[in-house]
Amino acid sequence: MTYKIIGKIIGKSRPRTNFRTGVIYTPKTTKQYEKLIRSQINDIKVNGSITIGLECHFSMPKTSKKKQKELLGKPCLKKPDIDNITKIYLDALNGKVYDDDKQVYKISCSKIWDVEEYVLCTITGQNVIIN
């Protein structure tokens, strides 16, 4: 199943510590993006081994139309880092699509330039149960 997650792409942020209280918390932007991902994925459950493919499309920088045409579909080297993108998707899908992210045995991720910003998230597994 392939889902188009529309919105600004955010990478997983490190947990923060409130030094007054000693409480460790997840930053608000990370929580909001995980909620956005979950809201755009149908209620499905995948049992067994899972493969996830992430194709991240970043909106092109403000530049000439000629330069934008050259960039379209080319590799994107801007932040967030690819490992932080995969981490936020694995955590967001945990409990919604699969019981635990240990079920994911293969993941691929790419970053390319496009006209709009979105992620194509492809999830394949042995047994898919649609709720």
Side-chain angles (χ1 to χ4, degrees), residues 33-52:
Y33 192 62
E34 286 178 352
K35 187 176 180 181
L36 174 79
I37 294 166
R38 283 191 293 273
S39 71
Q40 295 186 37
I41 301 282
N42 294 340
D43 287 336
I44 64 166
K45 275 288 190 192
V46 182
N47 297 325
S49 57
I50 300 168
T51 301
I52 296 179

Side-chain angles (χ1 to χ4, degrees), residues 14-77:
R14 288 192 170 94
R16 306 284 187 226
T17 303
N18 181 327
F19 289 106
R20 272 188 293 133
T21 62
V23 174
I24 298 172
Y25 65 95
T26 302
K28 189 176 182 180
T29 54
T30 297
K31 283 184 181 180
Q32 288 173 336
Y33 192 62
E34 286 178 352
K35 187 176 180 181
L36 174 79
I37 294 166
R38 283 191 293 273
S39 71
Q40 295 186 37
I41 301 282
N42 294 340
D43 287 336
I44 64 166
K45 275 288 190 192
V46 182
N47 297 325
S49 57
I50 300 168
T51 301
I52 296 179
L54 300 172
E55 191 176 288
C56 306
H57 295 253
F58 286 87
S59 55
M60 288 184 274
K62 303 264 190 242
T63 185
S64 69
K65 290 194 186 271
K66 181 182 176 186
K67 183 70 173 171
Q68 284 185 346
K69 192 174 180 180
E70 290 173 10
L71 283 176
L72 191 64
K74 297 278 183 355
C76 173
L77 303 178

